[in-house]
Amino acid sequence: MLRRHFLTTSAAAAIAPLLPASPPERKWRVAVLGDSNHGKYGHSLDSMWLRLPEVEIVAVADPNPKGLEATLKKLNVTTGFADYREIAQVKPDIVAVCPAMSLHRDMALVAAASGARGIYMEKPFCRSLAEADDIVNACEKHGVKLALAHRNRWHPTLPVVKQLVNDGVIGRLLELRGRGKEDRRGGLEDLWILGSHVLNLATFFTGRPTACSAEVLLDARPVTPADVIRTKEDFGAIAGNAVHARFETESGVPIYFDSVQDAGDAKVGFGLQLIGTKGIIDIRVDNTPLAHLLPGNPFQPVAEPRAWVPITTAGVGEPEPNAKNGNIVMSHEQGARDLIAAIQENRQPLCSAADGRLTVEMITAVMLSHVRGGKRLEFPLEQPENPFATWS
């Protein structure tokens, strides 16, 4: 019966790979902002534009002379800047903000004021709600659309998974459980870098968070102000090697996120599980297939083995009709085209500045709850800065 579960017409329309509607009158002009000293060019946010024939890269900015020279050569571009604040000279339509998040706020403000119509930014969004608000306000002031590179948010299989949940394939949705990669970065660093992907996906299913309670641990004990590391510029103040968080949501379905240093399996990676009364849907971030279904009540042991069934854009257990889906998502091609479509249609991208701000607010809530002894905190937060930065 599961193999015969097909998509509704509306869901099928939502998952088609984005393609140029028609040849543009002129190509979209892209300026690439990188920093070979701090995060370089993210996950190929420089070269991704070479995949789009409707785009031309017109300039690169990088304060590192060798890094700038190498990137100009790689992208076959002649115009380079040591100072990214000069990019308005090339009149970009889109600015790619590629380096570490410590630079995102300042680069985004320059990009928004440059005359560009869109920004494509590496994740995580930024280091605090204060920085997030500056970015959101700048985009609103200048009428700029910002797409944040949580690339799985554009995966064509994701609307299929949501439709399956809405159709009751896993029964009543009880909870969502996410984990990071849980490698040497386990804990808050994992939450920032990889957990931001997971939280963004989770709220796609549950809606906005309404409250959070959390604890941050160092070697199984609660972290204290003495444990806070204030020298990691790319994250802001950070501490611990484990984090356990629970979010209440507007749908009533809770989200749990956990990360413990060196507890992960490199072959499995990180992801999100949707747990229902009649089954589990497992989403493996950056993997193909993106999702699998394990039918049956997860709390009821059975004698017969249960098999994980792949979910594709065609449905449960169906062959994937478009073998290139994973590639166009992982290469950011789908995200770039959605940004262009958002500009043309005057709408927000599927993963917008507001979505990025929400993820920053969730991570801030984890730290603030711990600072306040694991207290349950309601959203919206009134905490513009990193809570660990002023904790004493």
Side-chain angles (χ1 to χ4, degrees), residues 7-212:
L7 302 176
T8 64
T9 302
S10 60
I15 64 174
L18 292 163
L19 299 172
S22 59
E25 295 181 3
R26 66 172 179 84
K27 292 189 175 185
W28 293 81
R29 297 169 60 83
V30 174
V32 173
L33 309 188
D35 190 326
S36 296
N37 302 319
H38 295 92
K40 299 183 181 179
Y41 294 86
H43 293 82
S44 302
L45 264 65
D46 54 345
S47 58
M48 60 179 274
W49 306 99
L50 299 176
R51 299 175 59 91
L52 281 69
E54 67 269 34
V55 160
E56 64 173 333
I57 304 171
V58 294
V60 176
D62 190 330
N64 182 304
K66 291 184 178 179
L68 178 59
E69 181 181 3
T71 306
L72 288 171
K73 182 178 181 180
K74 178 175 71 171
L75 302 180
N76 193 26
V77 176
T78 58
T79 303
F81 300 108
D83 187 344
Y84 66 84
R85 289 169 292 189
E86 299 180 25
I87 60 164
Q89 297 179 31
V90 297
K91 296 181 172 56
D93 297 307
I94 295 171
V95 178
V97 176
C98 311
M101 69 171 172
S102 58
L103 300 172
H104 286 185
R105 182 259 184 196
D106 291 348
M107 284 186 168
L109 298 193
V110 168
S114 71
R117 301 169 65 189
I119 299 171
Y120 196 85
M121 180 182 286
E122 173 67 317
K123 58 81 196 170
F125 190 41
C126 56
R127 299 173 296 179
S128 69
L129 280 173
E131 290 187 350
D133 286 336
D134 286 346
I135 296 172
V136 170
N137 292 337
C139 289
E140 291 178 352
K141 176 182 177 181
H142 296 284
V144 175
K145 310 299 183 186
L146 186 148
L148 185 61
H150 288 301
R151 53 194 179 187
N152 289 271
R153 181 60 186 82
W154 285 280
H155 202 294
T157 301
L158 201 59
V160 182
V161 174
K162 191 167 189 176
Q163 187 69 49
L164 293 171
V165 174
N166 292 342
D167 289 348
V169 169
I170 58 171
R172 178 182 175 183
L173 183 59
L174 299 176
E175 61 187 50
L176 278 68
R177 291 194 169 269
R179 305 193 78 92
K181 282 194 174 179
E182 300 186 287
D183 50 20
R184 60 174 178 77
R185 300 166 293 184
L188 275 181
E189 187 172 347
D190 195 17
L191 174 58
W192 271 116
I193 298 177
L194 301 163
S196 57
H197 279 302
V198 175
L199 296 182
N200 177 259
L201 287 173
T203 55
F204 172 70
F205 295 101
T206 65
R208 298 181 64 85
T210 57
C212 172

Side-chain angles (χ1 to χ4, degrees), residues 257-294:
F257 180 86
D258 299 273
S259 174
V260 178
Q261 188 178 55
D262 296 325
D265 183 339
K267 296 180 180 178
V268 175
F270 65 112
L272 179 71
Q273 288 197 334
L274 287 66
I275 301 172
T277 56
K278 296 181 181 179
I280 298 173
I281 292 178
D282 182 90
I283 298 175
R284 293 290 105 187
V285 175
D286 292 347
N287 281 6
T288 300
L290 178 72
H292 290 78
L293 169 68
L294 181 67

